[in-house]
Amino acid sequence: MSVPTLTLNDGKTIPQLGFGVFKVDPAETERIVTDALEVGYRHIDTAAVYGNEEGVGRALKNSGIAREDLFVTTKLWNDRHGAAESRRALEESLTKLGLDYVDLYLIHWPTPAQNNAVETWEAFPGYRDAGLTRSIGVSNFDYRYLPAILDTGIIPAVDQIELHPQFQQIDTRPLLADNDIKIEAWGPLGQGNVDYASTAIGEIAAAHGKSWAQVIIRWHLQRGHILFPKSNNRERMAQNIDVFDFELTENEMASIDALENGGRVSADPAEVN
Ligand code: NAD
């Protein structure tokens, strides 16, 4: 079965499972993204700060895959906030990617110490109207930072936030659900830094003859999250997209939900500026 698509609150569709390139070495990005496209991914998540947009762009171009069959996200870095500056940053990203438009453009972090996320966000619909991006959204805006965004009346299509079984964003989920904002789960596997194989997930994986990573990916999909696990390894890339021939039971889903313990594996948005 192929990757399902979800419909965003702006009517656009997005492949629910994609491939992320955080920490993918720019020198290796073209090869790694080419592998990902060959094993079947059509949704690539990058960011200006990853420094690998050029490699992503070369892989997309050389793949020969039609632009309308690809979904590409990039993100505005923290030092380019503000209305005029963010437009220049988006145009630079498009040049590096070799694209006329991205499918989704995100504010990468709320950067509370800069106090300019709202001003930046209010410029984003103009980028959509100008055809530079199809959809607009935010990243790392949790329950502390979303209300100011929602107060603008411009509703993000997605919020890309750290989310995995031990850190499920319990305080932020209701705001997202109430506003029909899709969750994009970053670090969906805990960035490989949590021993999920030794939890209930390991037992569930054994029962299904799947890996712990495949079980977590299924959990995200069944909870309605969009995700793009990262791997430099072609076999793992293939494994991570081979998740459409089994389903977790409600009991299995509940035992994964029960792993919540508030344990982030990465930065608190309050501290990123
Ligand atoms: P991830 O949870 O996808 O973990 C990736 C790591 O998990 C790999 O490096 C590898 O060590 C391990 N792994 C992957 N597949 C495996 C498998 N089948 N078996 C065993 N181990 C496996 O973490 P991530 O890369 O940080 O997150 C995914 C994507 O989310 C990123 O590449 C990026 O696109 C995005 N992201 C966004 C933000 C943000 O601030 N918006 C932050 C981090 C990541």
Side-chain angles (χ1 to χ4, degrees):
M1 199 189 125
S2 59
V3 173
T5 54
L6 298 181
T7 301
L8 303 172
N9 61 18
D10 59 10
K12 301 288 194 297
T13 56
I14 183 170
Q16 194 180 358
L17 183 59
F19 184 75
V21 295
F22 178 44
K23 289 196 174 156
V24 173
D25 182 340
E28 285 194 89
T29 301
E30 182 177 352
R31 193 264 303 162
I32 288 169
V33 173
T34 297
D35 278 348
L37 295 168
E38 283 177 6
V39 306
Y41 294 92
R42 292 293 178 268
H43 167 180
I44 307 294
D45 183 274
T46 185
V49 75
Y50 301 168
N52 56 22
E53 288 170 312
E54 280 135 324
V56 170
R58 281 194 300 273
L60 297 175
K61 181 163 184 276
N62 294 340
S63 74
I65 299 168
R67 177 67 186 90
E68 60 269 25
D69 294 333
L70 296 165
F71 191 102
V72 183
T73 299
T74 195
K75 313 182 192 92
L76 174 71
W77 188 238
N78 302 342
D79 59 358
R80 309 296 299 272
H81 282 199
E85 190 58 21
S86 59
R87 178 164 181 137
R88 283 192 285 273
L90 172 52
E91 287 171 347
E92 284 169 25
S93 283
L94 290 172
T95 300
K96 287 181 181 166
L97 286 161
L99 298 175
D100 298 330
Y101 68 91
V102 283
D103 295 278
L104 179 60
Y105 195 50
L106 306 179
I107 300 184
H108 205 146
W109 292 89
T111 62
Q114 293 191 40
N115 194 27
N116 56 10
V118 166
E119 172 197 336
T120 307
W121 179 239
E122 285 177 332
F124 268 45
Y127 309 152
R128 196 179 48 200
D129 297 345
L132 303 176
T133 183
R134 294 275 160 99
S135 295
I136 56 175
V138 294
S139 177
N140 297 300
F141 283 65
D142 63 20
Y143 65 95
R144 298 167 292 182
Y145 308 113
L146 264 179
I149 291 293
L150 297 174
D151 281 349
T152 65
I154 308 158
I155 307 303
V158 308
D159 190 3
Q160 184 177 129
I161 45 182
E162 178 179 345
L163 201 162
H164 42 93
Q166 71 171 31
F167 187 66
Q168 295 175 37
Q169 299 274 3
I170 303 296
D171 296 327
T172 302
R173 304 181 72 95
L175 264 179
L176 298 174
D178 288 350
N179 289 283
D180 189 25
I181 300 168
K182 288 273 184 291
I183 292 175
E184 291 197 327
W186 68 251
L189 304 175
Q191 298 194 318
N193 291 329
V194 183
D195 184 10
Y196 280 124
S198 301
T199 68
I201 290 167
E203 288 161 36
I204 295 167
H208 287 277
K210 293 286 178 179
S211 73
W212 65 268
Q214 288 172 308
V215 167
I216 296 182
I217 292 166
R218 256 327 295 181
W219 173 80
H220 283 289
L221 294 171
Q222 290 180 219
R223 284 280 173 260
H225 306 157
I226 297 158
L227 70 158
F228 20 80
K230 173 248 170 185
S231 177
N232 289 349
N233 173 303
R234 188 176 168 121
E235 277 168 30
R236 283 181 171 174
M237 288 177 199
Q239 184 194 116
N240 293 349
I241 202 174
D242 178 21
V243 290
F244 297 103
D245 61 350
F246 77 112
E247 201 168 333
L248 303 178
T249 66
E250 266 317 307
N251 278 344
E252 289 170 336
M253 292 292 289
S255 57
I256 299 173
D257 290 345
L259 297 174
E260 164 66 39
N261 65 11
R264 287 182 198 278
V265 297
S266 192
D268 181 338
E271 286 154 20
V272 176
N273 279 291

